[in-house]
Amino acid sequence: RKLLSLKNNLEKCEDYFLLGRLFFYKGDTKNFLKYLNFENELREELLKNSEYSGLNEIFIPRNTIHVLGLIGHLDGIIKYFKLNSINKKINVIGDDKTIVNDYFFSLYKKYINFIDINIIDDELLNKEKFLFKNVHWVLPDKNNKLQLCHKTLADSVSIWKEQKFEPLIEIPFNDQKEIKNFKNSQRIPENSKLICIHIRTNEFYNSHNKLADDYRDSKFDTYINSINYLNSLGFYVVRIGEKLNNPVTFGQLNKKDMFIDYPNTIYKSGKMDLLLTNESVFFIATDSGPHWYAGSLLKNLCIINSPIKDGFPYYKNSIFLPLKYKINGNELHFKEILNLYTNCHFQWQFENQDIEIEKNNEEEIKKTIEESLFECGLIDNYNYYDKDFLIKQRKEFIHLNNIYKTNILSKPAEVYFKRLNSM
C-alpha cells in the first residue's frame, strides 16, 4: 500500500523489483515470485494514468545483449508471443559495441526493436520505466500467473518443435558458403558429417563470475573417449567455446585430423559459431549459452553435466546427463532433488544447502552420447542396460516432475538411473 501511494516515484518501483531479484539469488522462489508479481501489479497501476497506457509494446532488460544465454532466451520469448498470439513490439536499449555475439543477435532483429543507447532521450527513458518487463526472470504460465521464465521457455520451445514450425532464425545462404572455406582449411571432406561439442571449461572464467558458476565447468579430458568414439563412426568433431591455454590432452585423440579445435583457429567468430552449428547433425552441450545455438536452429542435442533445475533442460525428447548432487559423500536421488533443490541456479546456492557437485566420468559421458545418437537415429544400435527399467524410471521422473511442477522436459540418461539404482 505504501508503494502504491507513491505513484509518481518510479524509482521506488525499481527498488522494490531489485529486492525481488535478491530472493532469486537466495533460491527463495516463493518470495521471488511474490515480489515480482507485486512489482508487475504496481507497474500496471502506474500505467493506468500514464500517457503510455494504450501502447502495445514492452521493453526488455538491457543485459539481453550482454549474455549469450539471454540472447538465446529471445528464441523462447518470441515463440511464446507467437504461440499465444501476443502482438506486442519488443524493445531493447543497448550499445551494439557491447553485444556478446552480434551475429546471433542480428538474426533476431526482425522480431525486436533494437534502440541505440546513444540516441535515447529522457522521454524514451521514462517510457522504458513504465513499459519495462523483465522476461529474463519471469513469464506467465498457462493460467497467466508469473513463474520462472525457464518453465515458460521450456513449453514454448518444445511446442514449437512438436508443431514442426520452422526455426525463427535462418542463416543467410551467402553466409552458409563460408563453411566450405572452413572445411577446406581443416581438410574436412565436403560430404562429411559434423558434430559440434561445447565443453565449458575454467578458461571461461577469465572474463566471467567464477564464484557463481563454478559448477558449470567441465574438464576436456573427460570427453576424450567420446570424441574418439564419434571419430570412429566417421563424424568430424568440432569443439565450440573458448581457447584452451593447455591443449596437451589432444595427444590422446586417436584421429587428430577428425577433431577440430575451432576456437584456436583464425576462423573463430560469433558468426562462425552459428555457421558450424547450422552445419552440424548433432550438438553436445553443457549448461551454458551455446546450447541455444543448437536449440534455436532445431538441432538434435544432448546436454552433459546438467543441473536439475526448474524448467531446464528445455528440449523435449532430448537426453541430458545430470550432475551428481552429493551431501556427506552420498549422491541424492532425483526424488529428493525434484522435491527440494530445483531452485539452485548458482554455486553458492548449492553450498548453502551443503550440496557438493561432482561431474560425470568419461564412461558416463560416452554412454549418454551413444544413447542420444541412437534415439536421434544417427546410429543403428545401442545396448541398453535394461530398457524396461529405464522406461519405469523415466515415468517416475515425469510423474514427480508433474507433481512438483518443475517443468523439466528433457529425459535423464539411462546411465544416470543405473548409477542411482546401484547406490
Side-chain angles (χ1 to χ4, degrees):
R1 293 194 189 100
K2 182 178 179 181
L3 282 171
L4 285 172
S5 69
L6 302 171
K7 293 182 179 180
N8 295 321
N9 193 337
L10 292 178
E11 296 304 321
K12 290 291 182 184
C13 179
E14 291 181 354
D15 290 343
Y16 201 71
F17 165 70
L18 290 175
L19 182 60
R21 287 181 64 176
L22 290 176
F23 278 109
F24 178 82
Y25 284 123
K26 289 174 62 179
D28 188 344
T29 306
K30 183 177 180 181
N31 278 314
F32 162 70
L33 291 172
K34 173 185 172 183
Y35 275 74
L36 264 290
N37 190 56
F38 186 87
E39 186 270 343
N40 186 60
E41 292 174 356
L42 176 56
R43 287 191 185 277
E44 294 302 320
E45 182 69 22
L46 291 165
L47 196 57
K48 284 180 183 177
N49 301 314
S50 104
E51 61 183 299
Y52 309 116
S53 59
L55 296 181
N56 201 27
E57 56 185 300
I58 63 169
F59 283 77
I60 62 175
R62 298 186 185 186
N63 67 342
T64 295
I65 66 174
H66 301 150
V67 181
L68 188 59
L70 296 188
I71 294 179
H73 276 196
L74 286 174
D75 194 77
I77 292 164
I78 295 165
K79 285 173 181 173
Y80 167 77
F81 275 46
K82 288 183 174 295
L83 289 169
N84 291 277
S85 301
I86 299 172
N87 185 27
K88 284 184 179 288
K89 182 167 72 171
I90 302 173
N91 302 301
V92 60
I93 295 174
D95 185 342
D96 58 9
K97 296 184 182 64
T98 64
I99 301 174
V100 64
N101 185 332
D102 54 354
Y103 186 80
F104 190 32
F105 183 64
S106 72
L107 299 177
Y108 289 101
K109 279 190 175 179
K110 62 182 177 181
Y111 301 107
I112 65 172
N113 180 40
F114 181 66
I115 303 169
D116 190 331
I117 196 170
N118 298 304
I119 63 171
I120 60 175
D121 53 23
D122 289 341
E123 182 179 353
L124 187 59
L125 288 173
N126 199 41
K127 183 179 178 183
E128 181 189 29
K129 287 181 179 180
F130 272 106
L131 301 177
F132 175 82
K133 298 285 184 182
N134 202 326
V135 295
H136 295 321
W137 293 93
V138 291
L139 280 167
D141 62 13
K142 295 175 182 177
N143 298 313
N144 207 34
K145 293 182 179 179
L146 293 181
Q147 64 179 357
L148 287 178
C149 67
H150 289 168
K151 293 184 178 183
T152 303
L153 296 178
D155 281 331
S156 301
V157 167
S158 293
I159 292 172
W160 191 271
K161 189 169 184 177
E162 286 180 345
Q163 295 294 325
K164 297 184 179 179
F165 294 134
E166 294 296 317
L168 285 177
I169 61 174
E170 183 179 4
I171 308 297
F173 180 73
N174 286 338
D175 290 347
Q176 294 179 36
K177 295 177 182 178
E178 296 180 27
I179 282 292
K180 186 174 182 179
N181 293 334
F182 176 83
K183 282 186 170 182
N184 287 338
S185 73
Q186 305 302 314
R187 297 180 180 178
I188 302 173
E190 181 64 29
N191 296 323
S192 60
K193 292 182 178 180
L194 298 186
I195 288 180
C196 287
I197 184 169
H198 176 240
I199 308 165
R200 178 158 147 171
T201 70
N202 57 12
E203 304 281 353
F204 183 71
Y205 298 136
N206 293 330
S207 59
H208 202 66
N209 187 349
K210 182 174 183 178
L211 182 62
D213 294 322
D214 186 61
Y215 77 94
R216 296 166 73 181
D217 74 322
S218 296
K219 292 183 178 180
F220 178 82
D221 292 14
T222 57
Y223 287 79
I224 292 289
N225 282 355
S226 297
I227 294 170
N228 284 335
Y229 166 70
L230 293 170
N231 289 159
S232 72
L233 296 175
F235 295 110
Y236 279 73
V237 177
V238 179
R239 187 179 73 84
I240 301 283
E242 62 279 350
K243 289 185 177 182
L244 295 178
N245 292 325
N246 187 24
V248 294
T249 52
F250 293 171
Q252 301 174 34
L253 295 170
N254 294 336
K255 297 184 178 182
K256 298 180 183 61
D257 60 319
M258 295 185 71
F259 171 77
I260 294 86
D261 187 35
Y262 151 70
N264 286 298
T265 70
I266 61 172
Y267 291 90
K268 169 63 179 170
S269 70
K271 180 180 182 179
M272 187 56 72
D273 287 357
L274 269 294
L275 298 184
L276 286 169
T277 303
N278 189 56
E279 182 74 6
S280 67
V281 297
F282 189 74
F283 195 102
I284 300 165
T286 55
D287 176 26
S288 191
H291 71 76
W292 275 110
Y293 293 155
S296 61
L297 291 166
L298 302 185
K299 295 292 179 177
N300 293 316
L301 78 165
C302 71
I303 298 180
I304 303 296
N305 286 326
S306 172
I308 299 176
K309 63 184 182 184
D310 292 316
F312 187 82
Y314 311 112
Y315 311 106
K316 199 169 185 178
N317 297 323
S318 293
I319 291 174
F320 75 106
L321 178 58
L323 292 160
K324 302 174 185 179
Y325 290 48
K326 291 189 173 183
I327 294 181
N328 296 325
N330 299 313
E331 184 171 0
L332 299 178
H333 196 276
F334 64 80
K335 296 177 184 178
E336 299 170 89
I337 300 173
L338 291 172
N339 183 25
L340 298 171
Y341 303 116
T342 58
N343 61 343
C344 291
H345 296 258
F346 302 98
Q347 183 70 30
W348 62 74
Q349 290 173 347
F350 290 111
E351 293 172 358
N352 287 343
Q353 302 281 0
D354 295 321
I355 296 174
E356 179 185 354
I357 293 296
E358 185 177 305
K359 313 300 163 53
N360 291 275
N361 63 42
E362 56 187 352
E363 287 305 316
E364 291 167 324
I365 293 172
K366 177 177 175 287
K367 189 70 174 174
T368 298
I369 292 171
E370 283 186 61
E371 183 186 6
S372 299
L373 291 173
F374 176 72
E375 294 211 1
C376 290
L378 289 171
I379 59 175
D380 295 328
N381 297 295
Y382 171 75
N383 294 320
Y384 288 99
Y385 294 114
D386 186 336
K387 193 167 185 180
D388 290 337
F389 173 75
L390 172 62
I391 292 171
K392 181 180 178 181
Q393 290 296 295
R394 281 185 176 158
K395 282 183 177 178
E396 184 175 8
F397 186 91
I398 292 170
H399 174 67
L400 294 175
N401 187 31
N402 291 333
I403 287 177
Y404 297 122
K405 299 179 180 179
T406 47
N407 215 24
I408 298 165
L409 300 187
S410 298
K411 299 180 292 188
E414 183 190 24
V415 71
Y416 173 67
F417 294 123
K418 181 178 183 296
R419 184 176 74 230
L420 293 179
N421 190 52
S422 63
M423 292 190 314

